[in-house]
Amino acid sequence: MNQKVFVTRSSLPPYEEYVKAIKPLWESHWITNMGHFHQELEERLKGYLEVSEISLMVNGHMALELAIQAFDFPKEAEVITTPFTFVSTTHAIIRNHLRPVFCDVKIEDGTIDENKIEELITKKTVAIVPVHVYGNICQMEVIEEIAKRYNLKVIYDAAHAFGVKYKGEGIGNYGNASVFSFHATKVYNTIEGGAVTFSEHTMYEKLYNLKNFGIQGEELVTDIGANAKLNEFAAVMGLCNLKYIDKIIEERKKRYEFYWINLKEIKGIRLLSRDKQITSNYAYLPVVVEDEYGLDRDRLYACLRENGIYSRKYFYPLTADQACFGEKYKSVELVCARELSRKILVMPLYEELEMKEIRRIVNIIKNRGLENV
Ligand SMILES: *Cc1c(COP(=O)(O)O)cnc(C)c1O
């Protein structure tokens, strides 16, 4: 019996290294509330992501919620966003008492269709929240030109795009803010964690305040904030994992390329387009199961599962079609997003995934669901 292969596996530093690194916490007893390691990790990440400002958060979702809250948008204002994402993106908008206006995506790479944004803008629109889905970068120049013309804020959900560069520059420098996730399942993790990057310095104070209940002093609370502070154990994990991130991305790249050259030959299997101006982090390997393949996506998913391969239907259903929203957005025209959602399947990919397992996966896909033919 083959071993089970999951879609991802959390990166961990050597055990001894982490244990040694947390020792000082037993001396200081300062284990959360923007301690030494929290501050050190902010500095290190500024360097790695090549951004001027960063604020660490307890997770990517709270980073997104508070990044949106920081702009003080009027209640019930509209935010143009994509439904082809993790539910967090849509939840963060709605939990801020704003209305998501879903824009279709491009069938080639899954990112928001920049040519369909403008027709969705109304007097109530205040922001655009695009997603760099799978680390595929949105057409940022076009999006920001539209935002400038209509005086809108742009907040990128960059949860999949840690370390990705566009034209040689860290993508966290684009828009009014970008949000990263350091969840255990992402390319880079702090167990749970996240960050907001931005260029306006005043936002640092604002986010610091919001992640700490809005407390300004012992007797003064100025904002209705939340508790979104990254603790010291998580920060140390982040510092340790950061030492290995280039190696991790390098190992992911080898596996990604191996999948790519083998899968691109298979009739009916389509790989999403890659932009030559992007330095990738090889976060995900999504495949599109086209009609010509012979089996539909759900059949391939089931065949892989029977062979111990746990691929994932990221992202199906669309967030707009999730049970929590009932019929509310069912009539919104999202032709490409719904098609992609119906055909997409994300393959296992992580730095220690054995090449023989990838070969096995490729063979199953090649043989239309059968391991040996
Ligand atoms: C993971 C993820 C988030 C949420 O991040 P957490 O750290 O899990 O809270 C938000 N958006 C997208 C697209 C994600 O994949």
Side-chain angles (χ1 to χ4, degrees), residues 58-62 64 85-89 131-133 157-160 179-186 192-194 284 315:
V58 66
N59 56 50
H61 178 78
M62 285 309 295
L64 201 47
T85 180
F86 184 51
V87 286
S88 171
T89 320
V131 179
H132 298 312
V133 67
D157 181 337
H160 296 177
V179 174
F180 294 87
S181 164
F182 308 149
H183 184 255
T185 56
K186 303 295 204 290
E192 291 265 7
Y284 298 91
F315 291 96

Side-chain angles (χ1 to χ4, degrees), residues 97-277:
H97 309 286
L98 299 166
R99 290 199 183 145
V101 174
F102 294 107
C103 180
D104 206 359
V105 301
K106 287 170 292 182
I107 203 85
E108 302 81 44
D109 71 355
T111 61
I112 195 164
D113 189 339
E114 65 280 1
N115 295 317
K116 292 184 180 157
I117 292 175
E118 207 167 343
E119 65 203 51
L120 298 173
I121 296 175
T122 72
K123 284 198 189 71
K124 288 186 174 171
T125 310
V126 290
I128 307 171
V129 176
V131 179
H132 298 312
V133 67
Y134 311 127
N136 293 342
I137 301 305
C138 306
Q139 285 295 314
M140 300 186 292
E141 284 138 348
V142 179
I143 291 170
E144 286 170 39
E145 186 275 318
I146 297 169
K148 203 166 162 194
R149 239 176 326 117
Y150 290 90
N151 196 23
L152 310 175
K153 302 290 184 202
V154 181
I155 302 158
Y156 291 106
D157 181 337
H160 296 177
F162 183 85
V164 176
K165 289 186 181 146
Y166 174 67
K167 293 183 181 171
E169 193 190 349
I171 51 111
N173 291 300
Y174 282 82
N176 298 91
S178 295
V179 174
F180 294 87
S181 164
F182 308 149
H183 184 255
T185 56
K186 303 295 204 290
V187 167
Y188 167 75
N189 85 76
T190 60
I191 311 172
E192 291 265 7
V196 187
T197 63
F198 45 93
S199 44
E200 184 93 41
H201 181 66
T202 53
M203 207 160 147
Y204 187 82
E205 294 297 322
K206 183 86 191 168
L207 289 169
Y208 192 99
N209 199 30
L210 288 177
K211 71 182 168 187
N212 191 30
F213 305 100
I215 295 173
Q216 283 287 4
E218 271 187 53
E219 299 181 4
L220 181 65
V221 173
T222 57
D223 289 86
I224 305 169
N227 179 0
K229 305 184 298 289
L230 187 80
N231 74 62
E232 290 290 272
F233 289 84
V236 171
M237 183 60 82
L239 287 165
C240 290
N241 275 336
L242 197 57
K243 287 191 208 159
Y244 302 97
I245 189 67
D246 288 333
K247 179 81 185 135
I248 286 170
I249 292 174
E250 194 54 40
E251 290 299 318
R252 282 175 166 276
K253 180 179 181 183
K254 281 185 207 158
R255 288 154 178 81
Y256 182 100
E257 298 295 354
F258 183 83
Y259 266 123
W260 186 277
I261 53 171
N262 285 287
L263 293 178
K264 76 175 177 16
E265 307 298 338
I266 302 173
K267 189 163 165 275
I269 292 293
R270 177 167 71 85
L271 297 160
L272 296 186
S273 67
R274 299 164 75 174
D275 184 338
K276 291 202 171 55
Q277 302 185 93

Side-chain angles (χ1 to χ4, degrees), residues 275-289:
D275 184 338
K276 291 202 171 55
Q277 302 185 93
I278 289 168
T279 313
S280 180
N281 63 359
Y282 305 96
Y284 298 91
L285 194 114
V287 305
V288 184
V289 185

